[in-house]
Amino acid sequence: MRGRTTAWPASRPGTFDKEVVTAIAEHVERPIIFPLSNPTEKIEAMPADLLAWTDGKVLTATGIPVDPVEYGGVRHVIGQANNALLYPGLGLGTVVAGATRLTAGMLLAAAEAVAGQVDARAPGAPLLPPVANLRASSATVAVAVVRAAVQDNVATRQPADLVQAVQDTMWQPVYGPLSEKEASP
């Protein structure tokens, strides 16, 4: 079919229904299900339902912020899968390293740095760090990316104090007064 394009199907709310989820759960001990569509009215399944349908065994993160869910006496913290958890730190680390290119090792280091910020083994633990801690998370990712850039021989800079170099390079949201009147006490 020359010249014809196929678009990715639009999100369908409820795509991960009880029948689908219980079928998955029959074949694996800890099913991994990521209902990532947003806004809320487009989400494929809600975490409370996923927990109920898998007897609390599902590993899940969503594309929307979701309050913790109580199931089976365990408080399940639901992570928000957001590209802001990876990309700011990836970019920051690339800049700090003066990397000549982005490598697979740098991408892997960024992903592992995000994942390493949580311990998903504990009952009810989130799979991802909270978006509310984005600044600290980005710094952690950036440090890992710089180290990977050095290891992959694409870094043009190797700061002696890597953590300080990352902190010094981070943008600081500090604003001056809007007018002279606001500037005077």
Side-chain angles (χ1 to χ4, degrees):
M1 292 195 191
R2 194 173 197 173
R4 185 175 174 166
T5 60
T6 304
W8 189 259
S11 169
R12 293 196 177 111
T15 301
F16 305 150
D17 61 15
K18 184 176 182 177
E19 180 182 357
V20 168
V21 172
T22 55
I24 293 169
E26 287 176 12
H27 301 284
V28 294
E29 186 177 333
R30 300 284 315 267
I32 299 170
I33 301 175
F34 294 144
L36 298 176
S37 293
N38 60 55
T40 303
E41 57 269 7
K42 293 190 176 205
I43 196 165
E44 295 85 358
M46 291 303 290
D49 293 330
L50 295 173
L51 286 162
W53 298 335
T54 63
D55 197 27
K57 295 177 183 175
V58 72
L59 295 170
T60 189
T62 63
I64 60 170
V66 176
D67 290 333
V69 176
E70 294 287 334
Y71 182 84
V74 175
R75 182 177 187 257
H76 294 264
V77 179
I78 310 301
Q80 182 180 356
N82 189 311
N83 59 12
L85 292 170
L86 186 122
Y87 291 110
L90 178 63
L92 178 60
T94 301
V95 168
V96 170
T100 57
R101 63 188 172 88
L102 185 63
T103 66
M106 292 163 67
L107 287 168
L108 179 60
E112 288 176 342
V114 169
Q117 294 176 51
V118 295
D119 181 0
R121 295 174 296 177
L127 296 179
L128 299 165
V131 174
N133 295 340
L134 184 56
R135 191 167 182 79
S137 180
S138 293
T140 299
V141 171
V143 168
V145 168
V146 174
R147 287 184 177 138
V150 169
Q151 183 176 346
D152 291 348
N153 295 314
V154 296
T156 61
R157 293 188 291 272
Q158 296 182 36
D161 186 341
L162 183 51
V163 173
Q164 189 61 53
V166 166
Q167 291 299 319
D168 291 346
T169 307
M170 290 182 90
W171 174 71
Q172 301 295 324
V174 177
Y175 301 95
L178 295 175
S179 68
E180 285 184 35
K181 183 178 180 182
E182 290 178 3
S184 60

